[in-house]
Structure formats: structure tokens, C-alpha cells
Amino acid sequence: MAPLSTFPLPLPPSGPPAGYDWEERDMESVLSTTTAFNTGIDRRDTFLGQRRCVVCGEAGAPVQRCHISRDSDPQLWFNLKARNWIPSQAKGLPRHEPRDGLLMCYNHHICFDAHSFFIRFFPDIRKFVFVNYSGVPALQRFHGKAIALDIRDHHAPFPSLFVIHEMRVHWISSHGVFDDVSGTFNRDSPLDNSDNNLSVQPQQLQFQPTTTSTGDASSGPGGRTLALNADVISDILAATHAMPSWRACQMEGTSWSGTAEENTDKYVSSIGVQDHRP
């Protein structure tokens, strides 16, 4: 049996003996785990003492943790950081970032991944709204209603991620990728395959956003047109940058191992001093 390591006493007052330190791992490496994802959304999406689907409120075992962006496309995650759609300090993979997830019941998880509906953030009413884009009858009662995501939460999803999901919903619906009659995806080439560079032409749906709480703001007479253009995306991105969860993500992913003065300069240069909280 090998002898145990020895070190002189007394122990150094500033830390453990040489060779037993943490090797200066920063916050990103500590928190980039699946546990951070699970605990973040479980705490955020707990209501009345139970984990619940943010769409319908179902609780218990059927509730599942869902991702908005998936690890199957890591290049997309990298590009979103490079384009400032999500903070550069976000976790290295979507499965580690709680702001990429939400709790949903089995049925709504399946429909979300199948692109039957999307979730749009409306900056003027500060709500995440359910949109039944495919017109599935079973989903219609949720159409136009705010789901249970609080924009003020430090782990609130980035609205910009929902834009990517919405773009995919538009593409699948507008180009006949999914056959509503058979309930299957069309994998054969179309008869007219002259244009392989398909562009998204979103359907113009009219709806009236509503909320489940009394006294919340709504859109006013006439409802809204669900266009997705450069102006709409710009407004959503501006709202994303102003969210408390954006700043919290920056804080978590930044190393603060310097002096007080260095950390202050780093905070001002990378995060800023304006308080975006409502």
C-alpha cells in the first residue's frame, strides 16, 4: 500500500496545500453541466409547489425538460453567439444552458419538436405567446395565450432562440415538408425541383394575445398579424439583450479572478452599468 501524502503544518492561511487547489477553474467550467440545466428550469418552472408544463399547467411525472435549440446543430449555437443572438458567455452546449429550455408535458413536447406550434415573445406586452401555426384542433385552445414564462426570471429563455424555432415551423409548413393528411414527413423530391433555395414566406395569421391573469395588457382591437420580418426580429433581439437573464448569463460565464479594480473594469466593459430590470 502506497504511503499517504504528507505536507507541513500549519496549513497555509490563503488556501489548500500545493497540489490540492482548484486549478483556477472558472464559472463556465463549473456550471457547464446537465445539472445546471435541470436545476435551473426545474426551479423556474415550478408553480404551486410542483414542476409544471408551461403551456397547460400539467404537473407530475409526464412533465419533461425540453430544449429550444439542440446539440445536434452545434454550429448554430456557435453562430448565435457570434451574431450576438445569445451572450458569448452562454454555456458551451445547449444542453447545459437553462435559458435554452422549458418544462412541457409529453404531448406539448412532442408537438413542439414536430414544429406544430411556436412560441413568440412580444416585447410590448412582455409575454411569451403560444401560436398554433399548424391549426391542430387539440392545440387551438392555447392559441394566442401567454404561457407561464416570466421575463424577469434570471433563467428566462432567450426570446431569440424561439425565433429560430419559429423559422423552422414556417419552413416546414409553407413548403409541404409535412403531410397533414397522412401525418408523415414528405421525403421524396417535389415534381418541380427547379428552386432548391427555398425562402420562408410566413403565413399571415390574425390573433388576439390573451393572458391567464386578470389585468394583463393585451393587444387591443383587431388582434395582430404574425409577420416575421427584419423589424420584428430586431425588436425581439433588442428585448433579448435587455432581459435580466441576458445579464445573469454574462455574469455566470465571466471569470472574476482578478482584483476588485480589474473586475470592475471587466464588468463595465463587458456587461455595462445600466440596470435593465423592470
Side-chain angles (χ1 to χ4, degrees), residues 38 72 87 112 271:
N38 293 345
S72 57
F112 184 80
I271 298 175

Side-chain angles (χ1 to χ4, degrees), residues 1-79:
M1 179 177 180
L4 297 176
S5 301
T6 60
F7 39 82
L9 296 176
L11 296 177
S14 59
Y20 291 83
D21 59 322
W22 191 241
E23 299 179 357
E24 300 181 355
R25 291 183 176 89
D26 59 17
M27 189 69 72
E28 170 68 16
S29 60
V30 174
L31 295 181
S32 285
T33 63
T34 303
T35 301
F37 175 86
N38 293 345
T39 56
I41 66 171
D42 284 353
R43 180 202 58 79
R44 186 198 65 208
D45 297 344
T46 291
F47 307 96
L48 301 177
Q50 295 189 77
R51 298 166 62 252
R52 295 180 182 272
C53 172
V54 298
V55 175
C56 67
E58 182 177 355
V63 176
Q64 302 175 345
R65 302 180 184 102
C66 316
H67 291 273
I68 307 169
S69 180
R70 300 183 184 180
D71 284 353
S72 57
D73 192 358
Q75 187 61 40
L76 172 62
W77 191 252
F78 176 82
N79 289 340

Side-chain angles (χ1 to χ4, degrees), residues 64-133:
Q64 302 175 345
R65 302 180 184 102
C66 316
H67 291 273
I68 307 169
S69 180
R70 300 183 184 180
D71 284 353
S72 57
D73 192 358
Q75 187 61 40
L76 172 62
W77 191 252
F78 176 82
N79 289 340
L80 290 175
K81 288 186 177 185
R83 295 175 182 272
N84 207 32
W85 278 47
I86 61 175
S88 60
Q89 298 90 342
K91 303 295 185 289
L93 293 172
R95 70 170 178 266
H96 295 156
E97 179 56 69
R99 300 166 185 90
D100 177 59
L102 61 164
L103 293 184
M104 286 192 283
C105 64
Y106 174 80
N107 289 334
H108 288 128
H109 188 184
I110 292 295
C111 290
F112 184 80
D113 287 351
H115 302 95
S116 297
F117 70 90
F118 62 81
I119 295 167
R120 168 83 71 87
F121 180 74
F122 288 88
D124 57 335
I125 60 173
R126 299 175 61 80
K127 299 289 185 182
F128 293 89
V129 177
F130 183 104
V131 179
N132 182 21
Y133 191 82

